[in-house]
Amino acid sequence: MTTKRSFFSRLNKPYYLETLPRKRWLNSLLFATFVFLFLFVFRPFGLNTLQQGILTVSLGYALTTFVIMVLLNVALLSQFPNFFSEERWNVQREIYWNMTNVLLIGLGNALYSSFIGIAPFSPYAILIFELYTISIAVIPVTVTVLIKESRLNNQFGHQSAELNADIEEHAKEIKPTTQAVSLKLVSENEKETLELEVNDLIYVQSSDNYVEVHYMMKDVSSKKLIRSSLKAVTEQLESYPDLFRCHKSYLVNLKRVKHVSGNAQGYKLKLEGGNKLIPVARACSDSLKKKLNN
């Protein structure tokens, strides 16, 4: 009973969601290439009976696979942002989504098989094809996702503990200073400005065509909405080494990092004065470690 509860609790653990379109295109291409090579070299499922045209047939299956994966993992991603949310993505969703890919690829290849005349076309034949697909794929998909979650969780959890030790050590060494450094943010239309001390800035978050600037004002956490892109704000603040673009949606003040946590999605930053955990993109993980270590 405990093992069963442990398994189902793991299904709700956070899991990494790849959101970069170019990587999703690449993953689709790599998987389609694998399908082509597997079918062309080993010729399973009766393909070995084909006297000719094996190259064309294998390319057809690969192309079908590629198109379905692109539609699912590139086109749908931008159309359903609430479902494909990094903050809400977990092991269970990853397994379900992988199985959805497998089933629809199986359906597409079943239809392709009937189209080229190497398999019968009927609801029963397609149902049997899908049942075989589920029985073959469900265990490898589930085990692979669970193993990857455990590996990433251990990796980022261990490294975040090391970073927290560094942060505590640096905090003991930092000497107070009376010298204040100011910054100035200007909106794209140059009608809005915000001036504050660098140390008072907590983080900046993108919000559609605006950015939310979170900062401290007389020991009170405040927020101001400025019409600008996070890219433009990052360019305005690039001369301040402690301000770090850690994610496509966030820029943070590293001087205010109180705690770093880690799970399969990567690092999360708890900032002094902030009331939320800020995600760190995996592509920024190494840069974050270098900056915090220094």
Side-chain angles (χ1 to χ4, degrees):
M1 193 70 177
T2 303
T3 303
K4 185 176 181 180
R5 283 200 301 268
S6 176
F7 173 77
F8 283 106
S9 66
R10 288 194 66 184
L11 294 179
N12 293 320
K13 286 191 172 183
Y15 196 84
Y16 173 66
L17 173 66
E18 181 59 73
T19 57
L20 290 177
R22 62 181 177 83
K23 287 193 174 182
R24 287 182 166 265
W25 276 94
L26 180 60
N27 289 339
S28 301
L29 180 60
L30 290 175
F31 192 80
T33 301
F34 168 78
V35 168
F36 165 73
L37 292 174
F38 178 77
L39 295 179
F40 183 72
V41 174
F42 296 101
R43 306 186 184 188
F45 313 124
L47 293 180
N48 59 332
T49 61
L50 293 177
Q51 299 299 319
Q52 58 184 1
I54 183 63
L55 176 64
T56 302
V57 170
S58 298
L59 283 173
Y61 281 114
L63 180 60
T64 302
T65 299
F66 178 73
V67 170
I68 291 173
M69 288 194 69
V70 168
L71 289 174
L72 290 174
N73 300 290
V74 179
L76 284 183
L77 187 72
S78 59
Q79 298 301 316
F80 298 95
N82 290 331
F83 179 77
F84 295 101
S85 167
E86 286 183 278
E87 295 181 354
R88 296 192 297 169
W89 202 253
N90 57 24
V91 171
Q92 181 174 251
R93 287 195 176 201
E94 180 71 13
I95 293 173
Y96 287 164
W97 186 242
N98 282 344
M99 288 305 303
T100 299
N101 274 258
V102 168
L103 289 174
L104 290 179
I105 289 170
L107 176 61
N109 284 326
L111 294 175
Y112 173 71
S113 298
S114 65
F115 175 74
I116 62 177
I118 64 174
F121 175 75
S122 70
Y124 177 76
I126 292 176
L127 177 61
I128 295 299
F129 191 93
E130 291 290 56
L131 288 175
Y132 275 120
T133 301
I134 292 174
S135 62
I136 292 172
V138 65
I139 293 179
V141 165
T142 302
V143 170
T144 300
V145 172
L146 290 175
I147 290 175
K148 187 175 181 180
E149 186 279 330
S150 180
R151 178 177 61 82
L152 291 174
N153 188 57
N154 290 335
Q155 174 189 337
F156 286 105
H158 176 71
Q159 292 176 356
S160 63
E162 294 179 347
L163 289 175
N164 286 321
D166 288 337
I167 291 171
E168 292 178 6
E169 188 63 29
H170 294 333
K172 297 176 184 177
E173 298 173 356
I174 294 175
K175 297 180 181 179
T177 177
T178 57
Q179 184 180 3
V181 179
S182 298
L183 62 80
K184 182 178 180 180
L185 289 176
V186 183
S187 65
E188 290 182 352
N189 57 17
E190 299 184 352
K191 293 182 179 180
E192 299 173 278
T193 61
L194 175 63
E195 295 186 55
L196 65 154
E197 293 184 10
V198 175
N199 289 339
D200 288 336
L201 180 65
I202 305 173
Y203 67 92
V204 184
Q205 178 181 0
S206 64
S207 179
D208 296 326
N209 296 323
Y210 293 81
V211 292
E212 293 180 1
V213 183
H214 295 255
Y215 59 99
M216 298 298 293
M217 179 63 68
K218 296 180 180 179
D219 296 327
V220 177
S221 179
S222 304
K223 179 177 71 174
K224 182 176 178 64
L225 204 63
I226 297 178
R227 186 174 183 85
S228 179
S229 66
L230 188 58
K231 179 181 178 181
V233 169
T234 303
E235 291 173 352
Q236 291 184 51
L237 302 177
E238 62 183 359
S239 61
Y240 302 93
D242 293 323
L243 304 184
F244 177 61
R245 177 82 177 268
C246 66
H247 188 273
K248 65 180 181 179
S249 301
Y250 294 93
L251 178 146
V252 300
N253 185 351
L254 294 179
K255 289 290 187 183
R256 286 192 167 269
V257 175
K258 292 179 59 179
H259 184 79
V260 182
S261 58
N263 55 37
Q265 291 180 341
Y267 296 121
K268 306 286 184 181
L269 304 178
K270 176 64 176 177
L271 305 178
E272 182 181 357
N275 57 4
K276 67 183 297 184
L277 290 176
I278 306 297
V280 178
R282 287 178 62 180
C284 299
S285 296
D286 290 338
S287 298
L288 174 72
K289 288 193 293 183
K290 289 178 182 179
K291 284 182 172 291
L292 290 179
N293 286 333
N294 291 330

